[in-house]
Amino acid sequence: MPQSDVDGLKVNRRRLLLSAGVGAAALPLAAQAAHPRISTATSTPRPLRREVVSVAAIQLRSQPGATQANLRRMVEAIDRAQSSGPKDLIAFPADALQGAPAMSLADLERSAIALDGPECAALAQSARTHGCYVSFGALAREAHWPGHVLSLSILIGPDGAIVAKDWAAIAEADAPHVTTIDRVLDRYVEMYGPDAVLPAHRTDIGNIAFASSRDPDVLRALALKGAEIVVRTGAVPAWDARAAAAHNHVFGIVVNSAVEPDAVDGAVRTHSRGTAVYGPSGEVLAEAGESWQQIVTARLPLAYVRETRPTPTMATALVLPVYQAHHAAKTGELS
C-alpha cells in the first residue's frame, strides 16, 4: 500500500475514535456539535430473557471458495451445539462462511454475499428453529455502496431478522480492498449517524458488540457505550481478549477458526486456535482444549453481573489533556 494511503488510514483512525466519543471533550465546540447523540452506558438495557445466558463459540474450519459447503457445516454445527442443551447465542469465526479468500478485489467481489441472499436465509432459519441468536462474519455487498466489498459482523435474532450488520471499524494493512468505516468515515456518519460507528446492540440476552480490531480505545469505547458481551473475531490472541474483558468489565467471546491435522493453508493457520469465553474479571469461563474443530460453551451470569458490574470509566482528568494535545498536534492532518 502506498505510504500516502497508510498515512490517510492513520488520520481516519483518529477521526473514527473521536467521532465515537473517545476524547470528544478535547475537540473544539464546533467539532463536538457535528457528532451529537452518542449513546452511553446509561442507555436502558432490554430485560433479559433469562438470568444466565448460555453461549457457544464454534471453532470451525472452512474452505475458501466453498461457501455452500461451509454454510452446510455452520447449520450442522448449530444443530450440534443445541443438541446438548439450549444456547442463546451461537458465535462463528469471521471467515466461517467464506473461508479466507485471496485479497485481490476480484476474489473479494466473487466471494461477497448479499444480505438478502440464500446464506443469510439459511442461518436465519436455524436461528428461528432453535430460538437463538447467531453471529458470523461475512464479506458482503450492499446496494448503497456499489463497488465496495464490506467486512461485516452479522447478528441474526431468534425471529430470523438481522439485528446487526456491523462494519469492521479499522482497516487492516493486508486487506486494502475491503471497505471499513475509517476509510469512508465522513460518508458513513452522514448516512447512518455517529452512533453507528461503534454500536452496542440492545438484545434480550444482553448488550452485544463486535470488534475485529485490537485497538484498546475501540474496546473501551464499546464498553462506555454499554456493551456487556463483546464478540471478538479476526485472529484475536487469547491474551488480548482476556485483558480487554478484564479492563472493560465485559464478557469477551473470542472465536477463531480451527485447523485440521492435514491443513497446509497458511491463511487458515493464521486465523486459527484460541477460541474462548472470558468473564468480566478476565476469568476463563471456557476455552478450546486444542486446535481442531470443537464447540466451546459457557454460561454467563449476566443478570448478576449487570447488578454488580462497575461502570466502565476513564481517568478523564488525566487522559483528556493528552488527547487534547495529540489532537492539537494533528490539527493540520484532521482539517
Side-chain angles (χ1 to χ4, degrees):
M1 181 184 298
Q3 185 60 41
S4 60
D5 290 346
V6 173
D7 292 340
L9 294 182
K10 291 178 180 177
V11 171
N12 274 337
R13 175 182 173 277
R14 286 191 294 273
R15 296 174 66 195
L16 167 70
L17 295 173
L18 291 171
S19 75
V22 177
L27 290 174
L29 290 177
Q32 293 183 47
H35 298 293
R37 301 182 304 279
I38 298 292
S39 70
T40 68
T42 58
S43 301
T44 303
R46 286 181 59 184
L48 296 172
R49 61 161 67 177
R50 55 181 58 92
E51 292 189 351
V52 178
V53 172
S54 183
V55 301
I58 312 294
Q59 186 167 281
L60 190 71
R61 188 184 178 205
S62 55
Q63 296 293 332
T67 298
Q68 294 309 309
N70 295 335
L71 177 62
R72 287 193 295 273
R73 252 187 230 108
M74 293 173 71
V75 171
E76 291 168 359
I78 293 172
D79 292 340
R80 286 199 303 273
Q82 296 289 10
S83 68
S84 60
K87 309 298 186 300
D88 299 299
L89 171 64
I90 307 286
F92 287 99
D95 56 6
L97 182 61
Q98 293 147 314
M103 286 291 111
S104 73
L105 180 57
D107 288 326
L108 293 176
E109 289 177 336
R110 280 193 295 270
S111 298
I113 66 168
L115 295 183
D116 59 355
E119 298 84 5
C120 287
L123 293 169
Q125 181 57 52
S126 288
R128 283 192 294 268
T129 297
H130 296 289
C132 68
Y133 291 81
V134 175
S135 74
F136 61 101
L139 296 169
R141 55 186 179 272
E142 287 211 75
H144 294 306
W145 294 88
H148 292 265
V149 176
L150 311 176
S151 177
L152 302 182
S153 294
I154 298 170
L155 179 66
I156 296 175
D159 61 355
I162 293 179
V163 175
K165 48 179 181 178
D166 293 356
W167 292 31
I170 296 176
E172 300 293 339
D174 62 351
H177 302 299
V178 176
T179 301
T180 50
I181 294 176
D182 61 341
R183 285 178 162 150
V184 292
L185 179 59
D186 290 338
R187 184 182 172 199
Y188 184 93
V189 171
E190 180 182 351
M191 292 179 67
Y192 306 120
D195 208 38
V197 174
L198 295 174
H201 304 281
R202 296 167 64 247
T203 79
D204 62 358
I205 61 169
N207 295 345
I208 300 174
F210 297 91
S212 57
S213 169
R214 301 183 197 176
D215 192 302
D217 287 330
V218 168
L219 295 161
R220 175 54 56 90
L222 291 171
L224 290 172
K225 292 187 70 180
E228 297 170 310
I229 301 172
V230 178
V231 181
R232 307 284 304 278
T233 60
V236 177
W239 64 264
D240 181 86
R242 186 173 187 177
H247 291 160
N248 298 301
H249 312 302
V250 299
F251 291 99
I253 301 175
V254 55
V255 53
N256 288 324
S257 300
V259 59
E260 298 296 347
D262 60 347
V264 294
D265 188 321
V268 170
R269 288 184 181 276
T270 299
H271 294 81
S272 67
R273 308 178 178 90
T275 297
V277 182
Y278 299 103
S281 297
E283 68 274 28
V284 178
L285 300 182
E287 61 185 352
E290 53 191 13
S291 301
W292 324 136
Q293 293 191 127
Q294 59 191 283
I295 299 173
V296 176
T297 64
R299 289 168 55 79
L300 315 184
L302 199 58
Y304 172 77
V305 170
R306 181 175 282 184
E307 291 180 358
T308 60
R309 172 195 185 200
T311 302
T313 60
M314 293 180 65
T316 52
L318 302 179
V319 303
L320 284 182
V322 178
Y323 279 113
Q324 187 173 21
H326 179 73
H327 170 69
K330 300 297 182 180
T331 299
E333 295 179 23
L334 291 173
S335 61

